[in-house]
């Protein structure tokens, strides 16, 4: 079997920003299976929360993975209480992940809780790297990215840190140029960035988010429209299985 | 070797496998088709390609595949999924690639495994149901399950399943064109499910499966709108199990044809509950979202239960029930 759910062990967990947690899990099978931009299903222990929580992989170690997640509901509220040494049910890596390209300057664009997968992506990219990160208030993972040799630009909605505004405006204001873009964040950001990259004639890979049921491709809950040469002009693809990463130019953004 | 000899040998192999573990015989006959064990997958919660990445599909008594229609359907807009306490609501709306794609791409892959294939059939109208059934009759599947109970499709679907006369009409029509045994999947969203079960049995249904999802709804009080785009959807998971057990119990006392029981099965002991209520086989659905290997784990738990109480076959479990 190429995929499995394993019992990982928590090596450490800390709150890196208000209600944003970084968790390191010892799970050799998961680490061995993983590639940047993929996600794992984390299965709550509570019987009342049945469905797995899909969480992007922030870093991949020899035998560990690092997850950075926001507490948004009952499942993640359970995870934040896990102590070091406690077990955690987690799947091996799911989804396609980023396809790392050879390019001159790479620009990594992240929004909020979309920033974590950019860390492992940055490790995988050779050459010059720029990150443009947008947050509501409190930036995360800035030092981590800088320690990987990434030049980081920050925008916040409030202007509390860095540029006041969104990442697209920041890219324009700073005149940031790149040969290849990668992104993860809210749909509105991915849509605006894809439109911007089209005007610049540079490719962008976007990691999409959609409400999932099973997380491994059987329930068909998390579909998105991908352009196709048929009479409707699109086909429906599963974000969990066919994605989460798509080319910005192939996504049909009209909703 | 002829196809019949081939399938005879496969049946014998399946029989051998079914009695291999400590003299326990898990096999069950549904409308002339022998399943080596009573564990099947509920339609819409299983995909041969994706599920086989987590477990060997040959462990199953049968795979019941996702509903297929005569042409591809796009289903409903997203979000399609909402979690609920001990369950979930879905409104996928039977998105499917159509019967031609199913026959060409899904069946050959599914056939690589030593298990039966039950194709689930969707439709908006009687001619559409018949079209799919006719084409699948010529395809390499063992049985057909006709879904007259999906709550997420506006025209048809549940409409056929909530009215005894219409349920009878669909059954009569598909039986006329089918060369394979027909299982009719029933909805719980009715006043008296035994009326529907009796109506489809009278028109020649070879078996019934129940229950499909309960019509449900969730509202996001922070965003002040329904959680799923379709507003309402099908409620499934362990929270609905008592309703399903009750309906299997009622239907067992109303019809003679085999029953495939489903609705919230999470453990081997849940399977036993359905068998005692009168089911011949069961389907595992939402459990496979909470645990991708649920069908296999549940089968092993069923065997452990049988060992604990000394049951040698499924009929002994049914007969042990006093109620």
């Amino acid at each position: 079997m190429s995929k499995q759910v394993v019992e990982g062990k928590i090596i450490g967990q800390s709150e890196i920003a208000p209600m944003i947690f970084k968790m390191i899990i010892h799970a050799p099978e998961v680490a061995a299976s993983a590639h940047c931009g993929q996600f794992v299903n984390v299965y709550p222990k509570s019987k009342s929360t049945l469905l797995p929580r899909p969480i992007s992989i922030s870093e991949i170690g020899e035998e560990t993975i690092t997850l950075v997640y926001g507490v948004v509901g009952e499942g993640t509220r359970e995870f934040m209480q896990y102590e070091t040494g406690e077990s955690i049910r987690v799947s091996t890596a799911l989804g396609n992940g980023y396809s790392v390209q050879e390019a001159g300057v790479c620009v990594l664009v992240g929004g909020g809780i979309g920033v974590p997968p950019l860390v492992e992506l940055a490790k995988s990219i050779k050459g010059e790297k720029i990150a443009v990160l947008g947050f509501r208030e409190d930036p995360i993972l800035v030092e981590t990215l800088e320690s990987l040799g990434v030049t980081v630009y920050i925008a916040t909605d409030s202007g509390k840190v860095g540029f006041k505004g969104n990442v697209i405006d920041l890219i324009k204001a700073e005149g940031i140029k790149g040969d290849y873009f990668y992104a993860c964040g809210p749909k509105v950001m991915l849509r605006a960035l894809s439109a911007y990259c089209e005007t610049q004639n540079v490719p962008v890979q976007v990691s999409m988010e959609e409400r999932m049921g099973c997380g491994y491709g059987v329930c068909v809950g998390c579909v998105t429209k991908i352009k196709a040469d048929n009479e409707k002009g699109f086909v429906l693809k599963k974000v969990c299985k066919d994605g989460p990463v798509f080319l910005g130019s192939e996504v049909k953004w009209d909703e | 070797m002829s196809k019949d000899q081939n399938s005879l040998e496969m049946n014998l192999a399946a029989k051998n496998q079914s009695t291999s573990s400590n003299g326990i015989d898990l096999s069950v006959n549904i409308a002339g088709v022998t399943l080596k064990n009573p564990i099947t997958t509920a339609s819409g919660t299983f995909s041969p390609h994706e599920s086989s990445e987590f477990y060997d599909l040959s462990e199953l008594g049968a795979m019941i595949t996702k509903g297929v229609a005569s042409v591809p359907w796009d289903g409903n807009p997203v979000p399609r999924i909402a979690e609920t306490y001990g369950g979930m609501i879905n409104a996928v709306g039977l998105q499917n690639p159509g019967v031609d794609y199913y026959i060409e791409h899904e069946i050959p892959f599914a056939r690589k495994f030593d298990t039966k294939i039950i194709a689930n059939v969707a439709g908006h109208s009687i001619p559409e149901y018949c079209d799919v059934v006719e084409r699948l009759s010529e395809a390499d599947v063992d049985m057909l399950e006709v879904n007259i109970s999906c709550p997420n499709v506006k025209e048809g679907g549940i409409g056929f399943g909530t009215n005894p006369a219409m349920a009878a009409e669909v059954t009569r029509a598909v039986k006329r064109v089918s060369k394979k045994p027909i299982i009719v999947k029933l909805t719980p969203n009715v006043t008296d499910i035994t009326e529907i079960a009796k109506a489809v049995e009278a028109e020649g249904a070879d078996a019934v499966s129940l229950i499909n999802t309960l019509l449900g709804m969730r509202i996001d009080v922070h965003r002040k709108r329904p959680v799923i785009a379709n507003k309402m959807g099908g409620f499934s998971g362990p929270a609905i199990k008592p309703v399903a057990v009750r309906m299997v119990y009622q239907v067992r006392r109303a019809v003679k044809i085999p029953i495939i029981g489903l609705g919230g099965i999470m453990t081997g002991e849940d399977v036993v509950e359905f068998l005692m209520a009168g089911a011949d086989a069961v389907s595992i659905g939402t459990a496979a979202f909470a645990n991708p290997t649920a069908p296999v784990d549940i089968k092993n738990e069923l065997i452990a239960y049988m060992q604990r109480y000394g049951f040698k076959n499924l009929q002994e479990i049914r007969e042990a029930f006093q109620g």
Side-chain angles (χ1 to χ4, degrees), chain B:
Chain B
M1 192 187 290
S2 79
K3 189 161 179 287
D4 280 347
Q5 275 175 322
N6 197 2
S7 64
L8 182 66
E9 291 215 354
M10 276 173 64
N11 273 339
L12 287 172
K15 192 84 180 169
N16 287 340
Q17 202 176 332
S18 68
T19 51
S20 63
S21 45
N22 307 319
I24 289 177
D25 179 4
L26 289 174
S27 69
V28 59
N29 187 294
I30 307 281
V33 178
T34 301
L35 313 189
K36 62 185 168 186
N37 67 63
I39 307 295
T40 72
T41 55
S43 176
T45 64
F46 169 85
S47 161
H49 283 94
E50 278 81 8
S51 300
S52 69
E53 293 180 329
F54 282 95
Y55 65 92
D56 179 359
L57 305 186
S58 301
E59 298 255 6
L60 296 167
M63 54 175 100
I64 303 183
T65 52
K66 188 167 169 55
V68 286
S70 55
V71 294
W73 290 5
D74 279 342
N76 291 321
V78 293
R80 294 173 167 182
I81 305 284
E83 192 176 56
T84 62
Y85 197 95
M88 62 178 284
I89 294 171
N90 89 82
V92 169
L94 289 170
Q95 179 188 329
N96 77 88
V99 67
D100 290 337
Y101 183 93
Y102 176 81
I103 290 170
E104 197 175 330
H105 297 279
E106 303 254 322
I107 296 174
F109 180 79
R111 260 305 166 223
K112 292 178 186 167
F113 300 91
D114 175 23
T115 187
K116 303 297 182 198
I117 303 174
I118 302 175
N120 183 285
V121 176
H124 293 121
S125 65
I126 288 175
E128 277 185 36
Y129 280 118
C130 288
D131 183 34
V132 180
V133 167
E134 257 183 312
R135 281 195 270 172
L136 288 173
S137 275
E138 304 298 331
D140 185 17
V141 297
D142 298 288
M143 296 199 222
L144 305 178
E145 180 184 60
V146 179
N147 178 6
I148 59 166
S149 49
C150 180
N152 295 325
V153 176
K154 284 190 181 68
E155 320 84 17
I158 198 169
F160 292 103
T162 52
N163 177 316
M166 286 173 76
E169 204 182 328
V170 180
T171 307
R172 183 162 58 238
V174 296
K175 275 300 289 180
R176 199 177 298 139
V177 295
S178 181
K179 295 173 186 161
K180 314 265 182 186
I182 293 279
I183 304 163
V184 179
K185 188 166 184 177
L186 306 182
T187 175
N189 302 307
V190 292
T191 310
D192 183 358
I193 196 167
T194 65
E195 290 296 313
I196 314 287
K198 284 189 276 191
V200 303
E201 180 185 48
E203 293 298 340
D206 298 285
V208 285
S209 51
L210 61 132
I211 58 176
N212 205 323
T213 53
L214 290 153
L215 189 60
M217 182 169 182
R218 255 205 75 190
I219 293 168
D220 182 335
V221 297
H222 305 290
R223 295 169 69 236
K224 303 168 190 72
R225 61 175 81 155
V227 174
I228 54 178
N230 195 50
K231 298 185 176 72
M232 288 177 264
F235 176 31
S236 65
I240 73 162
K241 194 187 72 179
V243 178
V245 171
R246 182 264 294 180
M247 288 189 161
V248 167
Y249 180 85
Q250 289 178 312
V251 170
R252 179 70 291 156
R253 277 144 191 80
V255 300
K256 297 239 178 330
I257 52 178
I259 297 171
I260 298 175
L262 69 155
I265 295 174
M266 298 294 284
T267 67
E269 293 195 6
D270 292 342
V271 174
V272 174
E273 255 193 90
F274 277 82
L275 295 173
M276 288 185 171
D280 294 270
V282 296
S283 298
I284 311 303
T286 305
F289 299 169
N291 169 19
T293 61
V296 179
D297 298 343
I298 289 170
K299 185 179 85 174
N300 291 332
E301 289 165 7
L302 172 64
I303 292 169
Y305 172 88
M306 292 174 76
Q307 285 171 334
R308 180 176 167 196
Y309 289 98
F311 288 121
K312 294 281 181 251
N313 58 56
L314 303 178
Q315 189 56 27
E316 288 182 4
I317 296 178
R318 288 187 206 101
E319 287 168 1
F321 175 59
Q322 307 159 9

Side-chain angles (χ1 to χ4, degrees), chain A residues 1-5 43 48-53 89 210-211 214 216 218-221 223 232 236 238 241, chain B residues 44-45 50-56 74 78 80-81 83-86 92 95 227 266 286 288-290 292:
Chain A
M1 306 302 110
S2 60
K3 290 176 183 163
Q4 57 179 325
V5 175
Y43 293 84
S48 68
T49 43
L50 209 63
L51 300 176
R53 273 49 184 171
R89 279 184 71 222
E210 191 51 67
R211 189 89 55 83
C214 67
Y216 64 97
V218 302
C219 79
V220 201
V223 294
K232 290 178 302 192
L236 292 167
K238 295 182 261 194
K241 175 81 183 184
Chain B
T45 64
E50 278 81 8
S51 300
S52 69
E53 293 180 329
F54 282 95
Y55 65 92
D56 179 359
D74 279 342
V78 293
R80 294 173 167 182
I81 305 284
E83 192 176 56
T84 62
Y85 197 95
V92 169
Q95 179 188 329
V227 174
M266 298 294 284
T286 305
F289 299 169

